[in-house]
Amino acid sequence: MVETQLRRRGIRSERVLEVMGEVPRERFLPPESRSRAYADQALPLALGQTVSQPYMVAAMTEALELTLTDRVLEVGTGSGYQTCILSRLAAEVYSVERLEPLARSAELLLKELGCTNVHLRVGDGSLGWPEAAPFDAILVTAAAPDVPPSLKAQLSPHGGRLVIPVGDRFVQDLLKLTRHGDEFRQRRLMACRFVPLVGEEGWEGDGP
Ligand code: SAM
């Protein structure tokens, strides 16, 4: 997976490649998907959600440009797979999941795998985690109609990075915003397709 799906497609960060090689992706999947854990595709989770394709996880993580002193907010814990990767590349990870059963099973697994720097919360991550802000990096793993103002406000003004899929419910652009003071520089990284960000500053419901 690391060589053929990630390095060959342009993932350059040795630290991201190393961590992607270490984290046992199969542990985060339901039993029926485990044999495909390292396949080049997104896989189904419970409650109609998905765990993203390994390349997408690596590309988003690389775009965050994490250092070991960074405090990170993740919106959309899902299985906890991406959370586990972030936890090995940053100082503290704050992760919010809307669906309680997913959050609970991610919590157990992350504990088992020794991710002691992860803080989980069930709730609407489109509003961020204001008490823990500012964040050096924010990753949204569900698709928003626009960049949520609350997340922009919780990004560190000293070079904070926000990576988020923005578009309609079927296809989106993966955007990277970098904040310097009150200025946000925005770059499009690639086309993508994510499940909807459902919440006050996202979509109203799961359906089309
Ligand atoms: N990163 C996850 C992983 O590695 O398994 C996959 C995330 S999945 C593509 C998107 C997740 O975002 C789903 O679990 C979904 O329930 C969650 N989600 C959607 N809207 C949300 C919101 N407003 N707040 C928090 N989580 C949300």
Side-chain angles (χ1 to χ4, degrees):
M1 175 188 89
V2 167
E3 290 307 316
T4 58
Q5 298 173 38
L6 308 185
R7 198 191 294 277
R8 217 175 277 172
R9 282 201 195 127
I11 303 298
R12 291 278 165 266
S13 162
E14 284 303 325
R15 191 64 194 121
V16 170
L17 292 167
E18 193 180 358
V19 169
M20 292 283 301
E22 285 168 6
V23 172
R25 185 166 157 92
E26 68 282 2
R27 296 286 307 273
F28 294 88
L29 295 168
E32 62 277 13
S33 301
R34 282 190 193 142
S35 62
R36 286 176 291 151
Y38 296 93
D40 189 11
Q41 62 186 104
L43 290 167
L45 284 178
L47 305 174
Q49 303 306 314
T50 53
V51 55
S52 305
Q53 177 198 23
Y55 172 70
M56 186 55 72
V57 173
M60 292 191 301
T61 306
E62 186 171 62
L64 292 173
E65 298 181 78
L66 296 176
T67 69
L68 286 172
T69 57
D70 281 346
R71 300 172 70 257
V72 183
L73 171 68
E74 177 190 38
V75 177
T77 317
S79 67
Y81 174 63
Q82 172 95 60
T83 322
C84 184
I85 288 166
L86 297 174
S87 80
R88 296 183 184 206
L89 294 164
E92 300 290 332
V93 180
Y94 294 81
S95 186
V96 189
E97 171 56 52
R98 180 175 82 95
L99 302 172
E100 180 150 16
L102 294 183
R104 292 299 156 236
S105 77
E107 186 174 32
L108 286 178
L109 196 45
L110 289 164
K111 241 183 220 151
E112 242 177 84
L113 293 172
C115 304
T116 51
N117 58 344
V118 172
H119 314 268
L120 289 183
R121 168 186 274 190
V122 176
D124 178 5
S126 74
L127 302 174
W129 191 320
E131 313 88 276
F135 299 100
D136 302 294
I138 299 179
L139 175 61
V140 183
T141 66
D146 282 302
V147 182
S150 293
L151 298 185
K152 287 174 79 171
Q154 290 171 38
L155 197 58
S156 163
H158 310 292
R161 290 87 58 203
L162 166 61
V163 173
I164 180 170
V166 173
D168 62 29
R169 284 179 180 263
F170 303 102
V171 64
Q172 304 96 30
D173 290 325
L174 187 66
L175 302 182
K176 175 176 177 178
L177 279 74
T178 308
R179 179 175 183 184
H180 292 284
D182 289 334
E183 270 185 36
F184 291 83
R185 215 179 45 219
Q186 181 173 307
R187 195 154 67 87
R188 178 188 181 274
L189 303 179
M190 65 181 95
C192 58
R193 186 183 174 134
F194 279 82
V195 296
L197 179 76
V198 179
E200 212 169 297
E201 294 186 25
W203 296 98
E204 259 179 38
D206 282 296

